[in-house]
Protein backbone atom coordinates (compact mmCIF):
# COMPACT_ATOMS: atom_id res chain seq x y z
CA UNK A 1 0.00 0.00 0.00
CA UNK A 2 1.20 3.45 -0.89
CA UNK A 3 1.77 5.26 2.41
CA UNK A 4 3.05 8.71 3.32
CA UNK A 5 4.13 9.15 6.90
CA UNK A 6 2.81 12.26 8.56
CA UNK A 7 6.28 13.55 9.38
CA UNK A 8 7.26 13.31 5.69
CA UNK A 9 4.02 14.58 4.22
CA UNK A 10 5.45 17.92 3.21
CA UNK A 11 8.48 16.52 1.43
CA UNK A 12 7.30 13.42 -0.41
CA UNK A 13 4.83 13.25 -3.27
CA UNK A 14 3.90 9.60 -2.78
CA UNK A 15 5.28 6.42 -1.29
CA UNK A 16 4.72 2.72 -1.99
CA UNK A 17 5.25 -0.05 0.47
CA UNK A 18 5.62 -3.72 -0.33
CA UNK A 19 2.11 -4.71 0.79
CA UNK A 20 0.70 -4.55 -2.75
CA UNK A 21 1.19 -7.72 -4.79
CA UNK A 22 1.69 -7.98 -8.53
CA UNK A 23 -1.11 -9.89 -10.26
CA UNK A 24 -0.22 -13.36 -11.62
CA UNK A 25 -0.75 -12.36 -15.26
CA UNK A 26 0.67 -8.85 -15.22
CA UNK A 27 3.69 -7.56 -17.08
CA UNK A 28 5.66 -4.36 -16.82
CA UNK A 29 4.51 -2.02 -19.62
CA UNK A 30 7.06 -0.97 -22.20
CA UNK A 31 8.79 2.40 -22.09
CA UNK A 32 6.54 5.15 -23.53
CA UNK A 33 3.58 2.76 -23.51
CA UNK A 34 0.08 3.87 -22.54
CA UNK A 35 -1.15 0.55 -21.06
CA UNK A 36 -4.57 -0.55 -22.27
CA UNK A 37 -6.80 -3.53 -21.65
CA UNK A 38 -6.96 -5.41 -18.36
CA UNK A 39 -3.18 -5.77 -17.87
CA UNK A 40 -4.06 -8.98 -16.06
CA UNK A 41 -6.08 -7.33 -13.29
CA UNK A 42 -9.76 -6.50 -12.86
CA UNK A 43 -11.01 -2.92 -12.84
CA UNK A 44 -12.00 -1.82 -9.36
CA UNK A 45 -13.25 1.24 -7.53
CA UNK A 46 -11.71 0.22 -4.22
CA UNK A 47 -12.73 0.48 -0.58
CA UNK A 48 -12.33 3.55 1.65
CA UNK A 49 -8.85 3.74 3.15
CA UNK A 50 -6.95 5.85 5.64
CA UNK A 51 -3.51 7.44 5.23
CA UNK A 52 -1.84 9.69 7.83
CA UNK A 53 -5.13 10.12 9.65
CA UNK A 54 -7.12 11.10 6.55
CA UNK A 55 -9.88 8.95 5.03
CA UNK A 56 -10.19 8.67 1.24
CA UNK A 57 -13.32 7.39 -0.52
CA UNK A 58 -12.78 5.98 -4.05
CA UNK A 59 -15.77 6.35 -6.34
CA UNK A 60 -16.92 6.37 -9.95
CA UNK A 61 -16.45 9.91 -11.24
CA UNK A 62 -16.85 9.97 -15.06
CA UNK A 63 -17.04 13.79 -15.16
CA UNK A 64 -13.98 14.35 -12.98
CA UNK A 65 -12.37 17.70 -13.86
CA UNK A 66 -10.09 19.32 -11.32
CA UNK A 67 -7.27 21.86 -11.18
CA UNK A 68 -4.44 21.41 -8.70
CA UNK A 69 -0.80 20.42 -8.47
CA UNK A 70 0.94 17.41 -9.96
CA UNK A 71 4.11 15.71 -8.78
CA UNK A 72 5.92 12.64 -10.10
CA UNK A 73 7.45 9.46 -8.77
CA UNK A 74 10.19 7.32 -10.28
CA UNK A 75 13.19 5.12 -9.37
CA UNK A 76 12.16 4.25 -5.80
CA UNK A 77 9.00 2.54 -7.08
CA UNK A 78 10.20 1.23 -10.46
CA UNK A 79 9.18 -2.43 -10.91
CA UNK A 80 7.02 -2.54 -7.80
CA UNK A 81 3.32 -3.33 -7.65
CA UNK A 82 0.80 -0.53 -8.01
CA UNK A 83 -2.42 -0.30 -6.01
CA UNK A 84 -4.36 -2.48 -8.46
CA UNK A 85 -1.64 -5.10 -8.90
CA UNK A 86 -0.06 -3.83 -12.10
CA UNK A 87 3.71 -3.40 -12.28
CA UNK A 88 5.00 0.17 -12.24
CA UNK A 89 7.33 1.35 -14.99
CA UNK A 90 8.48 4.92 -14.42
CA UNK A 91 9.05 5.25 -18.19
CA UNK A 92 5.50 4.32 -19.22
CA UNK A 93 2.43 6.55 -19.20
CA UNK A 94 0.69 5.94 -15.90
CA UNK A 95 -0.32 7.92 -12.82
CA UNK A 96 -1.59 7.74 -9.25
CA UNK A 97 -4.79 9.33 -7.94
CA UNK A 98 -6.43 9.18 -4.52
CA UNK A 99 -10.02 8.26 -5.47
CA UNK A 100 -10.54 7.54 -9.19
CA UNK A 101 -11.31 3.92 -10.13
CA UNK A 102 -8.34 1.77 -11.14
CA UNK A 103 -7.72 2.03 -13.97
CA UNK A 104 -9.06 5.35 -15.26
CA UNK A 105 -7.69 7.20 -18.27
CA UNK A 106 -7.17 10.91 -17.72
CA UNK A 107 -6.06 13.88 -19.76
CA UNK A 108 -3.47 15.88 -17.84
CA UNK A 109 -2.72 19.44 -18.99
CA UNK A 110 0.25 21.38 -17.64
CA UNK A 111 -1.27 24.83 -17.15
CA UNK A 112 2.17 26.45 -17.10
CA UNK A 113 3.13 25.46 -20.65
CA UNK A 114 -0.03 24.09 -22.29
CA UNK A 115 1.26 20.55 -22.84
CA UNK A 116 -1.28 17.71 -22.55
CA UNK A 117 -0.97 13.92 -22.42
CA UNK A 118 -3.19 10.93 -21.65
CA UNK A 119 -2.25 8.72 -18.69
CA UNK A 120 -3.61 5.53 -17.14
CA UNK A 121 -4.35 5.82 -13.41
CA UNK A 122 -3.39 2.53 -11.77
CA UNK A 123 -2.06 3.59 -8.37
CA UNK A 124 -3.02 5.57 -5.25
CA UNK A 125 -1.55 8.92 -4.16
CA UNK A 126 -0.18 11.53 -3.83
CA UNK A 127 -1.00 12.08 -0.15
CA UNK A 128 0.26 15.63 0.06
CA UNK A 129 -2.10 18.57 0.50
CA UNK A 130 -3.00 20.41 -2.73
CA UNK A 131 -1.52 17.72 -5.00
CA UNK A 132 -4.16 15.92 -7.05
CA UNK A 133 -2.12 13.53 -9.19
CA UNK A 134 1.24 11.79 -9.19
CA UNK A 135 2.50 10.99 -12.70
CA UNK A 136 5.25 8.68 -13.89
CA UNK A 137 8.67 10.13 -14.58
CA UNK A 138 8.04 9.84 -18.33
CA UNK A 139 4.73 11.62 -17.89
CA UNK A 140 6.52 14.47 -16.11
CA UNK A 141 9.10 14.65 -18.90
CA UNK A 142 6.43 14.89 -21.60
CA UNK A 143 4.52 17.47 -19.58
CA UNK A 144 7.75 19.44 -19.11
CA UNK A 145 8.06 19.56 -15.32
CA UNK A 146 10.42 16.70 -14.45
CA UNK A 147 13.17 19.18 -13.49
CA UNK A 148 11.02 21.34 -11.21
CA UNK A 149 9.13 18.42 -9.66
CA UNK A 150 5.72 20.06 -9.22
CA UNK A 151 3.45 21.98 -11.58
CA UNK A 152 -0.13 23.22 -11.78
CA UNK A 153 -2.34 20.97 -13.90
CA UNK A 154 -5.86 20.27 -15.00
CA UNK A 155 -6.94 16.61 -14.78
CA UNK A 156 -9.96 15.39 -16.76
CA UNK A 157 -11.39 11.87 -16.81
CA UNK A 158 -11.82 10.24 -20.23
CA UNK A 159 -14.50 7.81 -21.35
CA UNK A 160 -13.87 4.45 -23.03
CA UNK A 161 -13.51 6.19 -26.41
CA UNK A 162 -10.77 8.49 -25.14
CA UNK A 163 -13.04 11.52 -24.99
CA UNK A 164 -13.81 13.86 -22.12
CA UNK A 165 -17.23 12.86 -20.79
CA UNK A 166 -19.44 15.92 -20.94
CA UNK A 167 -22.41 16.11 -18.56
CA UNK A 168 -25.71 16.46 -20.35
CA UNK A 169 -27.31 19.90 -20.34
CA UNK A 170 -31.00 20.69 -20.59
CA UNK A 171 -32.28 22.95 -23.35
CA UNK A 172 -34.82 25.42 -21.95
CA UNK A 173 -36.90 25.81 -25.14
CA UNK A 174 -37.52 22.09 -25.68
CA UNK A 175 -36.91 20.74 -22.17
CA UNK A 176 -34.84 17.88 -23.64
CA UNK A 177 -31.30 16.84 -22.92
CA UNK A 178 -28.50 17.69 -25.30
CA UNK A 179 -24.76 17.24 -25.45
CA UNK A 180 -24.35 20.23 -27.77
CA UNK A 181 -21.99 22.80 -26.26
CA UNK A 182 -22.30 26.55 -26.86
CA UNK A 183 -19.89 28.18 -29.28
CA UNK A 184 -16.59 29.25 -27.83
CA UNK A 185 -16.28 32.86 -26.80
CA UNK A 186 -14.45 35.05 -29.28
CA UNK A 187 -14.44 34.85 -33.07
CA UNK A 188 -11.73 32.86 -34.77
CA UNK A 189 -10.65 29.45 -36.03
CA UNK A 190 -8.99 26.74 -33.95
CA UNK A 191 -6.30 24.43 -35.30
CA UNK A 192 -4.52 21.46 -33.80
CA UNK A 193 -0.83 21.75 -34.58
CA UNK A 194 1.15 18.55 -34.25
CA UNK A 195 4.51 20.02 -35.16
CA UNK A 196 6.52 22.60 -37.12
CA UNK A 197 9.51 21.45 -39.19
CA UNK A 198 12.32 23.10 -41.10
CA UNK A 199 12.40 20.18 -43.56
CA UNK A 200 9.29 19.45 -45.60
CA UNK A 201 10.18 15.74 -45.72
CA UNK A 202 9.93 15.47 -41.92
CA UNK A 203 6.53 17.17 -41.93
CA UNK A 204 5.28 14.76 -44.61
CA UNK A 205 6.36 11.78 -42.51
CA UNK A 206 4.27 13.11 -39.63
CA UNK A 207 1.30 13.65 -41.91
CA UNK A 208 1.47 10.03 -43.08
CA UNK A 209 1.56 8.87 -39.46
CA UNK A 210 -1.50 10.96 -38.64
CA UNK A 211 -3.40 9.87 -41.73
CA UNK A 212 -2.73 6.21 -40.87
CA UNK A 213 -4.52 6.83 -37.54
CA UNK A 214 -7.52 8.43 -39.26
CA UNK A 215 -6.54 12.07 -38.64
CA UNK A 216 -6.80 14.23 -41.75
CA UNK A 217 -3.69 16.40 -41.42
CA UNK A 218 -2.61 19.25 -43.68
CA UNK A 219 0.71 20.79 -44.59
CA UNK A 220 1.03 24.55 -44.14
CA UNK A 221 4.08 26.65 -45.00
CA UNK A 222 4.77 29.86 -43.11
CA UNK A 223 7.61 32.29 -42.42
CA UNK A 224 9.08 32.74 -38.96
CA UNK A 225 12.23 34.66 -38.08
CA UNK A 226 13.27 34.93 -41.69
CA UNK A 227 13.03 31.21 -42.43
CA UNK A 228 10.40 28.88 -43.81
CA UNK A 229 8.77 26.28 -41.59
CA UNK A 230 6.30 23.53 -42.41
CA UNK A 231 3.41 23.15 -39.98
CA UNK A 232 1.42 19.93 -39.63
CA UNK A 233 -2.11 20.92 -38.66
CA UNK A 234 -5.65 19.59 -38.38
CA UNK A 235 -8.64 21.86 -38.73
CA UNK A 236 -9.97 24.49 -38.68
CA UNK A 237 -12.62 24.02 -35.99
CA UNK A 238 -15.22 26.74 -35.46
CA UNK A 239 -15.82 25.71 -31.84
CA UNK A 240 -12.88 25.21 -29.50
CA UNK A 241 -14.74 22.39 -27.76
CA UNK A 242 -14.62 20.35 -30.98
CA UNK A 243 -10.90 21.04 -31.27
CA UNK A 244 -10.37 19.90 -27.67
CA UNK A 245 -12.26 16.66 -28.28
CA UNK A 246 -10.20 15.98 -31.41
CA UNK A 247 -7.00 16.81 -29.51
CA UNK A 248 -7.88 14.17 -26.92
CA UNK A 249 -7.97 11.50 -29.64
CA UNK A 250 -4.75 12.70 -31.25
CA UNK A 251 -2.85 12.70 -27.95
CA UNK A 252 -4.22 9.25 -27.06
CA UNK A 253 -2.78 8.01 -30.38
CA UNK A 254 0.69 9.02 -29.24
CA UNK A 255 1.12 12.54 -30.65
CA UNK A 256 2.01 14.08 -27.30
CA UNK A 257 3.28 17.43 -28.63
CA UNK A 258 -0.04 18.36 -30.28
CA UNK A 259 -1.44 21.75 -29.23
CA UNK A 260 -4.44 23.94 -30.05
CA UNK A 261 -3.77 27.29 -31.74
CA UNK A 262 -6.39 29.93 -32.33
CA UNK A 263 -6.28 32.36 -35.21
CA UNK A 264 -8.36 35.51 -34.91
CA UNK A 265 -10.93 36.20 -37.57
CA UNK A 266 -9.91 38.88 -40.03
Amino acid sequence: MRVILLVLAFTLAACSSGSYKVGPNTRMPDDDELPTGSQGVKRKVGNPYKVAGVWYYPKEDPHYDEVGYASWYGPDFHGKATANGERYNMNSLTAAHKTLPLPTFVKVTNLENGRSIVLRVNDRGPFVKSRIIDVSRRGAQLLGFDKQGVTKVRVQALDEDGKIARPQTRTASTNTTSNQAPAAAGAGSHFIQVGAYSQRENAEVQIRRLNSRGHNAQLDRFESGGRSLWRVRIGPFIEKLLAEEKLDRIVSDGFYEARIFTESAR
Side-chain angles (χ1 to χ4, degrees), residues 49-72:
Y49 63 98
K50 187 178 183 181
V51 175
V54 178
W55 279 97
Y56 299 94
Y57 300 89
K59 64 177 181 178
E60 295 284 358
D61 197 354
H63 305 301
Y64 180 86
D65 187 341
E66 188 172 350
V67 171
Y69 287 91
S71 48
W72 64 272

Side-chain angles (χ1 to χ4, degrees), residues 148-169:
Q148 67 198 68
V150 178
T151 192
K152 192 171 185 178
V153 297
R154 180 183 184 185
V155 180
Q156 298 165 282
L158 303 178
D159 63 19
E160 60 184 9
D161 295 319
K163 296 181 178 180
I164 296 172
R166 308 284 180 181
Q168 290 187 328
T169 57

